[in-house]
PDB file of all heavy atoms in Angstrom:
ATOM      1  N   SER A   1      21.104 -11.232  -4.815  1.00 92.00           N
ATOM      2  CA  SER A   1      19.821 -11.943  -4.804  1.00 92.00           C
ATOM      3  C   SER A   1      18.896 -11.557  -5.956  1.00 92.00           C
ATOM      4  O   SER A   1      17.858 -12.202  -6.153  1.00 92.00           O
ATOM      5  CB  SER A   1      19.094 -11.685  -3.487  1.00 92.00           C
ATOM      6  OG  SER A   1      18.784 -10.284  -3.377  1.00 92.00           O
ATOM      7  N   ASP A   2      19.245 -10.500  -6.687  1.00 95.00           N
ATOM      8  CA  ASP A   2      18.385  -9.967  -7.749  1.00 95.00           C
ATOM      9  C   ASP A   2      17.085  -9.376  -7.204  1.00 95.00           C
ATOM     10  O   ASP A   2      16.079  -9.326  -7.864  1.00 95.00           O
ATOM     11  CB  ASP A   2      18.070 -11.056  -8.784  1.00 95.00           C
ATOM     12  CG  ASP A   2      17.780 -10.489 -10.178  1.00 95.00           C
ATOM     13  OD1 ASP A   2      18.347  -9.431 -10.530  1.00 95.00           O
ATOM     14  OD2 ASP A   2      16.985 -11.119 -10.902  1.00 95.00           O
ATOM     15  N   LEU A   3      17.147  -8.955  -5.948  1.00 96.00           N
ATOM     16  CA  LEU A   3      15.994  -8.383  -5.246  1.00 96.00           C
ATOM     17  C   LEU A   3      16.038  -6.868  -5.321  1.00 96.00           C
ATOM     18  O   LEU A   3      17.082  -6.260  -5.139  1.00 96.00           O
ATOM     19  CB  LEU A   3      16.016  -8.832  -3.792  1.00 96.00           C
ATOM     20  CG  LEU A   3      14.865  -8.376  -2.873  1.00 96.00           C
ATOM     21  CD1 LEU A   3      13.597  -9.125  -3.227  1.00 96.00           C
ATOM     22  CD2 LEU A   3      15.247  -8.604  -1.412  1.00 96.00           C
ATOM     23  N   LEU A   4      14.872  -6.243  -5.546  1.00 96.00           N
ATOM     24  CA  LEU A   4      14.757  -4.793  -5.463  1.00 96.00           C
ATOM     25  C   LEU A   4      14.206  -4.437  -4.077  1.00 96.00           C
ATOM     26  O   LEU A   4      13.273  -5.096  -3.588  1.00 96.00           O
ATOM     27  CB  LEU A   4      13.829  -4.249  -6.537  1.00 96.00           C
ATOM     28  CG  LEU A   4      14.255  -4.401  -7.985  1.00 96.00           C
ATOM     29  CD1 LEU A   4      13.236  -3.733  -8.928  1.00 96.00           C
ATOM     30  CD2 LEU A   4      15.643  -3.848  -8.233  1.00 96.00           C
ATOM     31  N   ILE A   5      14.753  -3.400  -3.486  1.00 95.00           N
ATOM     32  CA  ILE A   5      14.386  -2.981  -2.127  1.00 95.00           C
ATOM     33  C   ILE A   5      13.922  -1.536  -2.165  1.00 95.00           C
ATOM     34  O   ILE A   5      14.588  -0.666  -2.732  1.00 95.00           O
ATOM     35  CB  ILE A   5      15.597  -3.108  -1.194  1.00 95.00           C
ATOM     36  CG1 ILE A   5      16.130  -4.539  -1.201  1.00 95.00           C
ATOM     37  CG2 ILE A   5      15.214  -2.680   0.226  1.00 95.00           C
ATOM     38  CD1 ILE A   5      17.473  -4.697  -0.523  1.00 95.00           C
ATOM     39  N   THR A   6      12.747  -1.285  -1.606  1.00 96.00           N
ATOM     40  CA  THR A   6      12.199   0.080  -1.538  1.00 96.00           C
ATOM     41  C   THR A   6      12.985   0.901  -0.531  1.00 96.00           C
ATOM     42  O   THR A   6      13.193   0.480   0.600  1.00 96.00           O
ATOM     43  CB  THR A   6      10.720   0.037  -1.147  1.00 96.00           C
ATOM     44  OG1 THR A   6       9.978  -0.661  -2.159  1.00 96.00           O
ATOM     45  CG2 THR A   6      10.152   1.442  -1.006  1.00 96.00           C
ATOM     46  N   HIS A   7      13.380   2.095  -0.959  1.00 95.00           N
ATOM     47  CA  HIS A   7      14.124   3.013  -0.084  1.00 95.00           C
ATOM     48  C   HIS A   7      13.562   4.431  -0.217  1.00 95.00           C
ATOM     49  O   HIS A   7      13.305   4.880  -1.328  1.00 95.00           O
ATOM     50  CB  HIS A   7      15.606   3.001  -0.458  1.00 95.00           C
ATOM     51  CG  HIS A   7      16.442   3.951   0.343  1.00 95.00           C
ATOM     52  ND1 HIS A   7      16.856   3.667   1.627  1.00 95.00           N
ATOM     53  CD2 HIS A   7      16.872   5.219   0.083  1.00 95.00           C
ATOM     54  CE1 HIS A   7      17.529   4.698   2.094  1.00 95.00           C
ATOM     55  NE2 HIS A   7      17.571   5.632   1.181  1.00 95.00           N
ATOM     56  N   PRO A   8      13.319   5.134   0.894  1.00 94.00           N
ATOM     57  CA  PRO A   8      13.461   4.614   2.270  1.00 94.00           C
ATOM     58  C   PRO A   8      12.344   3.660   2.627  1.00 94.00           C
ATOM     59  O   PRO A   8      11.214   3.812   2.136  1.00 94.00           O
ATOM     60  CB  PRO A   8      13.412   5.882   3.113  1.00 94.00           C
ATOM     61  CG  PRO A   8      12.581   6.834   2.314  1.00 94.00           C
ATOM     62  CD  PRO A   8      12.923   6.559   0.876  1.00 94.00           C
ATOM     63  N   LYS A   9      12.656   2.695   3.442  1.00 93.00           N
ATOM     64  CA  LYS A   9      11.679   1.708   3.880  1.00 93.00           C
ATOM     65  C   LYS A   9      10.867   2.284   5.019  1.00 93.00           C
ATOM     66  O   LYS A   9      11.414   2.669   6.046  1.00 93.00           O
ATOM     67  CB  LYS A   9      12.393   0.425   4.338  1.00 93.00           C
ATOM     68  CG  LYS A   9      11.501  -0.676   4.855  1.00 93.00           C
ATOM     69  CD  LYS A   9      12.359  -1.830   5.329  1.00 93.00           C
ATOM     70  CE  LYS A   9      11.535  -2.913   6.015  1.00 93.00           C
ATOM     71  NZ  LYS A   9      12.387  -4.011   6.522  1.00 93.00           N
ATOM     72  N   PRO A  10       9.534   2.406   4.873  1.00 94.00           N
ATOM     73  CA  PRO A  10       8.725   2.936   5.963  1.00 94.00           C
ATOM     74  C   PRO A  10       8.841   2.096   7.232  1.00 94.00           C
ATOM     75  O   PRO A  10       8.999   0.872   7.163  1.00 94.00           O
ATOM     76  CB  PRO A  10       7.276   2.860   5.406  1.00 94.00           C
ATOM     77  CG  PRO A  10       7.448   2.811   3.928  1.00 94.00           C
ATOM     78  CD  PRO A  10       8.719   2.058   3.689  1.00 94.00           C
ATOM     79  N   THR A  11       8.758   2.759   8.362  1.00 93.00           N
ATOM     80  CA  THR A  11       8.785   2.012   9.625  1.00 93.00           C
ATOM     81  C   THR A  11       7.418   1.343   9.805  1.00 93.00           C
ATOM     82  O   THR A  11       6.423   1.651   9.113  1.00 93.00           O
ATOM     83  CB  THR A  11       9.046   2.954  10.804  1.00 93.00           C
ATOM     84  OG1 THR A  11       7.953   3.891  10.903  1.00 93.00           O
ATOM     85  CG2 THR A  11      10.342   3.729  10.616  1.00 93.00           C
ATOM     86  N   LEU A  12       7.343   0.442  10.777  1.00 90.00           N
ATOM     87  CA  LEU A  12       6.072  -0.242  11.058  1.00 90.00           C
ATOM     88  C   LEU A  12       4.969   0.749  11.451  1.00 90.00           C
ATOM     89  O   LEU A  12       3.808   0.548  11.107  1.00 90.00           O
ATOM     90  CB  LEU A  12       6.279  -1.258  12.168  1.00 90.00           C
ATOM     91  CG  LEU A  12       7.102  -2.509  11.796  1.00 90.00           C
ATOM     92  CD1 LEU A  12       7.274  -3.395  13.030  1.00 90.00           C
ATOM     93  CD2 LEU A  12       6.438  -3.294  10.668  1.00 90.00           C
ATOM     94  N   SER A  13       5.355   1.800  12.140  1.00 93.00           N
ATOM     95  CA  SER A  13       4.360   2.792  12.555  1.00 93.00           C
ATOM     96  C   SER A  13       3.915   3.671  11.390  1.00 93.00           C
ATOM     97  O   SER A  13       2.808   4.210  11.385  1.00 93.00           O
ATOM     98  CB  SER A  13       4.918   3.668  13.688  1.00 93.00           C
ATOM     99  OG  SER A  13       6.059   4.388  13.251  1.00 93.00           O
ATOM    100  N   GLN A  14       4.778   3.818  10.374  1.00 94.00           N
ATOM    101  CA  GLN A  14       4.438   4.648   9.217  1.00 94.00           C
ATOM    102  C   GLN A  14       3.600   3.904   8.178  1.00 94.00           C
ATOM    103  O   GLN A  14       2.797   4.513   7.467  1.00 94.00           O
ATOM    104  CB  GLN A  14       5.714   5.153   8.531  1.00 94.00           C
ATOM    105  CG  GLN A  14       6.524   6.158   9.335  1.00 94.00           C
ATOM    106  CD  GLN A  14       7.874   6.412   8.707  1.00 94.00           C
ATOM    107  OE1 GLN A  14       8.438   5.588   7.991  1.00 94.00           O
ATOM    108  NE2 GLN A  14       8.414   7.608   8.988  1.00 94.00           N
ATOM    109  N   LEU A  15       3.772   2.593   8.088  1.00 93.00           N
ATOM    110  CA  LEU A  15       3.145   1.830   7.013  1.00 93.00           C
ATOM    111  C   LEU A  15       1.626   2.009   6.894  1.00 93.00           C
ATOM    112  O   LEU A  15       1.123   2.156   5.770  1.00 93.00           O
ATOM    113  CB  LEU A  15       3.475   0.340   7.157  1.00 93.00           C
ATOM    114  CG  LEU A  15       4.782  -0.130   6.518  1.00 93.00           C
ATOM    115  CD1 LEU A  15       5.048  -1.578   6.889  1.00 93.00           C
ATOM    116  CD2 LEU A  15       4.708   0.016   5.005  1.00 93.00           C
ATOM    117  N   PRO A  16       0.850   1.997   8.000  1.00 90.00           N
ATOM    118  CA  PRO A  16      -0.597   2.071   7.848  1.00 90.00           C
ATOM    119  C   PRO A  16      -1.105   3.272   7.060  1.00 90.00           C
ATOM    120  O   PRO A  16      -2.097   3.160   6.328  1.00 90.00           O
ATOM    121  CB  PRO A  16      -1.096   2.119   9.303  1.00 90.00           C
ATOM    122  CG  PRO A  16      -0.028   1.403  10.062  1.00 90.00           C
ATOM    123  CD  PRO A  16       1.250   1.786   9.397  1.00 90.00           C
ATOM    124  N   LYS A  17      -0.432   4.420   7.136  1.00 92.00           N
ATOM    125  CA  LYS A  17      -0.939   5.613   6.440  1.00 92.00           C
ATOM    126  C   LYS A  17      -0.887   5.438   4.931  1.00 92.00           C
ATOM    127  O   LYS A  17      -1.660   6.095   4.207  1.00 92.00           O
ATOM    128  CB  LYS A  17      -0.140   6.851   6.864  1.00 92.00           C
ATOM    129  CG  LYS A  17       1.267   6.953   6.289  1.00 92.00           C
ATOM    130  CD  LYS A  17       1.931   8.256   6.695  1.00 92.00           C
ATOM    131  CE  LYS A  17       3.314   8.402   6.019  1.00 92.00           C
ATOM    132  NZ  LYS A  17       3.958   9.669   6.370  1.00 92.00           N
ATOM    133  N   TYR A  18       0.007   4.560   4.447  1.00 93.00           N
ATOM    134  CA  TYR A  18       0.117   4.373   2.992  1.00 93.00           C
ATOM    135  C   TYR A  18      -0.990   3.456   2.439  1.00 93.00           C
ATOM    136  O   TYR A  18      -1.103   3.289   1.227  1.00 93.00           O
ATOM    137  CB  TYR A  18       1.490   3.810   2.651  1.00 93.00           C
ATOM    138  CG  TYR A  18       2.611   4.778   2.914  1.00 93.00           C
ATOM    139  CD1 TYR A  18       3.479   4.604   3.987  1.00 93.00           C
ATOM    140  CD2 TYR A  18       2.796   5.903   2.114  1.00 93.00           C
ATOM    141  CE1 TYR A  18       4.504   5.493   4.248  1.00 93.00           C
ATOM    142  CE2 TYR A  18       3.818   6.804   2.371  1.00 93.00           C
ATOM    143  CZ  TYR A  18       4.657   6.602   3.423  1.00 93.00           C
ATOM    144  OH  TYR A  18       5.680   7.498   3.676  1.00 93.00           O
ATOM    145  N   TYR A  19      -1.763   2.858   3.327  1.00 87.00           N
ATOM    146  CA  TYR A  19      -2.899   2.018   2.904  1.00 87.00           C
ATOM    147  C   TYR A  19      -4.231   2.757   3.070  1.00 87.00           C
ATOM    148  O   TYR A  19      -5.276   2.194   2.775  1.00 87.00           O
ATOM    149  CB  TYR A  19      -2.928   0.738   3.731  1.00 87.00           C
ATOM    150  CG  TYR A  19      -1.812  -0.238   3.417  1.00 87.00           C
ATOM    151  CD1 TYR A  19      -0.582  -0.140   4.027  1.00 87.00           C
ATOM    152  CD2 TYR A  19      -1.984  -1.252   2.475  1.00 87.00           C
ATOM    153  CE1 TYR A  19       0.453  -1.016   3.741  1.00 87.00           C
ATOM    154  CE2 TYR A  19      -0.967  -2.141   2.185  1.00 87.00           C
ATOM    155  CZ  TYR A  19       0.245  -2.011   2.824  1.00 87.00           C
ATOM    156  OH  TYR A  19       1.260  -2.896   2.539  1.00 87.00           O
ATOM    157  N   GLU A  20      -4.181   3.998   3.533  1.00 81.00           N
ATOM    158  CA  GLU A  20      -5.411   4.753   3.796  1.00 81.00           C
ATOM    159  C   GLU A  20      -5.923   5.382   2.501  1.00 81.00           C
ATOM    160  O   GLU A  20      -5.747   6.572   2.235  1.00 81.00           O
ATOM    161  CB  GLU A  20      -5.144   5.823   4.852  1.00 81.00           C
ATOM    162  CG  GLU A  20      -4.848   5.242   6.225  1.00 81.00           C
ATOM    163  CD  GLU A  20      -4.433   6.290   7.230  1.00 81.00           C
ATOM    164  OE1 GLU A  20      -4.381   7.483   6.833  1.00 81.00           O
ATOM    165  OE2 GLU A  20      -4.164   5.940   8.376  1.00 81.00           O
ATOM    166  N   SER A  21      -6.578   4.562   1.702  1.00 73.00           N
ATOM    167  CA  SER A  21      -7.108   5.027   0.423  1.00 73.00           C
ATOM    168  C   SER A  21      -8.274   4.152  -0.001  1.00 73.00           C
ATOM    169  O   SER A  21      -8.199   2.914   0.107  1.00 73.00           O
ATOM    170  CB  SER A  21      -6.023   4.991  -0.660  1.00 73.00           C
ATOM    171  OG  SER A  21      -6.573   5.251  -1.935  1.00 73.00           O
ATOM    172  N   ASP A  22      -9.337   4.778  -0.473  1.00 64.00           N
ATOM    173  CA  ASP A  22     -10.474   4.021  -0.991  1.00 64.00           C
ATOM    174  C   ASP A  22     -10.097   3.276  -2.277  1.00 64.00           C
ATOM    175  O   ASP A  22     -10.813   2.386  -2.712  1.00 64.00           O
ATOM    176  CB  ASP A  22     -11.649   4.956  -1.296  1.00 64.00           C
ATOM    177  CG  ASP A  22     -12.229   5.566  -0.020  1.00 64.00           C
ATOM    178  OD1 ASP A  22     -12.045   4.947   1.051  1.00 64.00           O
ATOM    179  OD2 ASP A  22     -12.848   6.628  -0.107  1.00 64.00           O
ATOM    180  N   GLU A  23      -8.982   3.661  -2.897  1.00 56.00           N
ATOM    181  CA  GLU A  23      -8.563   3.034  -4.132  1.00 56.00           C
ATOM    182  C   GLU A  23      -7.809   1.747  -3.894  1.00 56.00           C
ATOM    183  O   GLU A  23      -7.465   1.038  -4.838  1.00 56.00           O
ATOM    184  CB  GLU A  23      -7.681   4.005  -4.943  1.00 56.00           C
ATOM    185  CG  GLU A  23      -8.429   5.235  -5.423  1.00 56.00           C
ATOM    186  CD  GLU A  23      -7.559   6.135  -6.292  1.00 56.00           C
ATOM    187  OE1 GLU A  23      -6.410   5.729  -6.576  1.00 56.00           O
ATOM    188  OE2 GLU A  23      -8.019   7.213  -6.682  1.00 56.00           O
ATOM    189  N   TYR A  24      -7.504   1.429  -2.607  1.00 52.00           N
ATOM    190  CA  TYR A  24      -6.791   0.176  -2.346  1.00 52.00           C
ATOM    191  C   TYR A  24      -7.819  -0.956  -2.437  1.00 52.00           C
ATOM    192  O   TYR A  24      -8.430  -1.357  -1.465  1.00 52.00           O
ATOM    193  CB  TYR A  24      -6.073   0.205  -1.009  1.00 52.00           C
ATOM    194  CG  TYR A  24      -4.906  -0.745  -1.022  1.00 52.00           C
ATOM    195  CD1 TYR A  24      -3.772  -0.474  -1.798  1.00 52.00           C
ATOM    196  CD2 TYR A  24      -4.944  -1.949  -0.345  1.00 52.00           C
ATOM    197  CE1 TYR A  24      -2.720  -1.360  -1.850  1.00 52.00           C
ATOM    198  CE2 TYR A  24      -3.898  -2.843  -0.407  1.00 52.00           C
ATOM    199  CZ  TYR A  24      -2.782  -2.537  -1.162  1.00 52.00           C
ATOM    200  OH  TYR A  24      -1.759  -3.429  -1.243  1.00 52.00           O
ATOM    201  N   ILE A  25      -7.948  -1.483  -3.628  1.00 47.00           N
ATOM    202  CA  ILE A  25      -9.109  -2.261  -4.041  1.00 47.00           C
ATOM    203  C   ILE A  25      -9.189  -3.645  -3.367  1.00 47.00           C
ATOM    204  O   ILE A  25     -10.271  -4.171  -3.143  1.00 47.00           O
ATOM    205  CB  ILE A  25      -9.133  -2.409  -5.575  1.00 47.00           C
ATOM    206  CG1 ILE A  25     -10.513  -2.841  -6.056  1.00 47.00           C
ATOM    207  CG2 ILE A  25      -8.056  -3.353  -6.060  1.00 47.00           C
ATOM    208  CD1 ILE A  25     -10.689  -2.696  -7.554  1.00 47.00           C
ATOM    209  N   SER A  26      -8.047  -4.223  -2.988  1.00 50.00           N
ATOM    210  CA  SER A  26      -8.089  -5.563  -2.369  1.00 50.00           C
ATOM    211  C   SER A  26      -8.683  -5.536  -0.980  1.00 50.00           C
ATOM    212  O   SER A  26      -8.983  -6.583  -0.409  1.00 50.00           O
ATOM    213  CB  SER A  26      -6.673  -6.144  -2.332  1.00 50.00           C
ATOM    214  OG  SER A  26      -5.847  -5.417  -1.462  1.00 50.00           O
ATOM    215  N   HIS A  27      -8.874  -4.325  -0.401  1.00 47.00           N
ATOM    216  CA  HIS A  27      -9.474  -4.224   0.926  1.00 47.00           C
ATOM    217  C   HIS A  27     -10.983  -3.917   0.871  1.00 47.00           C
ATOM    218  O   HIS A  27     -11.597  -3.691   1.889  1.00 47.00           O
ATOM    219  CB  HIS A  27      -8.770  -3.111   1.732  1.00 47.00           C
ATOM    220  CG  HIS A  27      -7.396  -3.502   2.161  1.00 47.00           C
ATOM    221  ND1 HIS A  27      -6.477  -2.603   2.661  1.00 47.00           N
ATOM    222  CD2 HIS A  27      -6.768  -4.712   2.172  1.00 47.00           C
ATOM    223  CE1 HIS A  27      -5.358  -3.237   2.964  1.00 47.00           C
ATOM    224  NE2 HIS A  27      -5.513  -4.515   2.669  1.00 47.00           N
ATOM    225  N   THR A  28     -11.541  -3.931  -0.331  1.00 51.00           N
ATOM    226  CA  THR A  28     -12.971  -3.628  -0.468  1.00 51.00           C
ATOM    227  C   THR A  28     -13.608  -4.627  -1.439  1.00 51.00           C
ATOM    228  O   THR A  28     -12.927  -5.383  -2.120  1.00 51.00           O
ATOM    229  CB  THR A  28     -13.188  -2.209  -1.018  1.00 51.00           C
ATOM    230  OG1 THR A  28     -12.872  -2.176  -2.410  1.00 51.00           O
ATOM    231  CG2 THR A  28     -12.334  -1.184  -0.275  1.00 51.00           C
ATOM    232  N   ASP A  29     -14.928  -4.574  -1.517  1.00 57.00           N
ATOM    233  CA  ASP A  29     -15.666  -5.297  -2.557  1.00 57.00           C
ATOM    234  C   ASP A  29     -16.226  -4.323  -3.568  1.00 57.00           C
ATOM    235  O   ASP A  29     -17.289  -4.541  -4.155  1.00 57.00           O
ATOM    236  CB  ASP A  29     -16.802  -6.122  -1.910  1.00 57.00           C
ATOM    237  CG  ASP A  29     -16.283  -7.363  -1.224  1.00 57.00           C
ATOM    238  OD1 ASP A  29     -15.207  -7.845  -1.598  1.00 57.00           O
ATOM    239  OD2 ASP A  29     -16.961  -7.858  -0.301  1.00 57.00           O
ATOM    240  N   GLY A  30     -15.524  -3.215  -3.779  1.00 55.00           N
ATOM    241  CA  GLY A  30     -15.965  -2.152  -4.697  1.00 55.00           C
ATOM    242  C   GLY A  30     -16.295  -2.699  -6.079  1.00 55.00           C
ATOM    243  O   GLY A  30     -15.553  -3.515  -6.636  1.00 55.00           O
ATOM    244  N   ASN A  31     -17.397  -2.225  -6.644  1.00 55.00           N
ATOM    245  CA  ASN A  31     -17.821  -2.694  -7.954  1.00 55.00           C
ATOM    246  C   ASN A  31     -18.516  -1.539  -8.716  1.00 55.00           C
ATOM    247  O   ASN A  31     -19.517  -1.771  -9.419  1.00 55.00           O
ATOM    248  CB  ASN A  31     -18.759  -3.900  -7.822  1.00 55.00           C
ATOM    249  CG  ASN A  31     -18.911  -4.668  -9.101  1.00 55.00           C
ATOM    250  OD1 ASN A  31     -18.087  -4.586 -10.000  1.00 55.00           O
ATOM    251  ND2 ASN A  31     -20.008  -5.422  -9.206  1.00 55.00           N
ATOM    252  N   GLN A  32     -17.968  -0.327  -8.589  1.00 60.00           N
ATOM    253  CA  GLN A  32     -18.600   0.853  -9.185  1.00 60.00           C
ATOM    254  C   GLN A  32     -17.857   1.319 -10.436  1.00 60.00           C
ATOM    255  O   GLN A  32     -18.463   1.457 -11.502  1.00 60.00           O
ATOM    256  CB  GLN A  32     -18.652   1.988  -8.157  1.00 60.00           C
ATOM    257  CG  GLN A  32     -19.455   1.638  -6.913  1.00 60.00           C
ATOM    258  CD  GLN A  32     -20.911   1.287  -7.210  1.00 60.00           C
ATOM    259  OE1 GLN A  32     -21.583   1.987  -7.976  1.00 60.00           O
ATOM    260  NE2 GLN A  32     -21.394   0.198  -6.631  1.00 60.00           N
ATOM    261  N   THR A  33     -16.555   1.574 -10.313  1.00 66.00           N
ATOM    262  CA  THR A  33     -15.798   2.062 -11.465  1.00 66.00           C
ATOM    263  C   THR A  33     -15.501   0.899 -12.421  1.00 66.00           C
ATOM    264  O   THR A  33     -15.606  -0.292 -12.050  1.00 66.00           O
ATOM    265  CB  THR A  33     -14.487   2.693 -11.025  1.00 66.00           C
ATOM    266  OG1 THR A  33     -13.623   1.684 -10.517  1.00 66.00           O
ATOM    267  CG2 THR A  33     -14.723   3.757  -9.940  1.00 66.00           C
ATOM    268  N   LEU A  34     -15.086   1.245 -13.639  1.00 62.00           N
ATOM    269  CA  LEU A  34     -14.765   0.193 -14.617  1.00 62.00           C
ATOM    270  C   LEU A  34     -13.610  -0.660 -14.136  1.00 62.00           C
ATOM    271  O   LEU A  34     -13.621  -1.887 -14.275  1.00 62.00           O
ATOM    272  CB  LEU A  34     -14.442   0.838 -15.976  1.00 62.00           C
ATOM    273  CG  LEU A  34     -14.123  -0.162 -17.100  1.00 62.00           C
ATOM    274  CD1 LEU A  34     -15.275  -1.128 -17.317  1.00 62.00           C
ATOM    275  CD2 LEU A  34     -13.822   0.589 -18.394  1.00 62.00           C
TER     276      LEU A  34
END
């Protein structure tokens, strides 16, 4: 398929911790840094 797959793939219960960051900009309206 020419698809790249992330390994190991986080489980559904693990995934939320990888989004716990103020730098994840699409979840905020941050307008402070360049």
Side-chain angles (χ1 to χ4, degrees):
S1 63
D2 207 31
L3 181 73
L4 296 183
I5 303 168
T6 298
H7 177 79
K9 178 183 173 183
T11 64
L12 289 177
S13 61
Q14 292 171 334
L15 273 173
K17 74 176 185 179
Y18 293 107
Y19 289 86
E20 293 174 359
S21 171
D22 292 337
E23 294 183 5
Y24 205 70
I25 197 167
S26 66
H27 288 168
T28 74
D29 284 335
N31 197 21
Q32 300 300 314
T33 69
L34 181 58

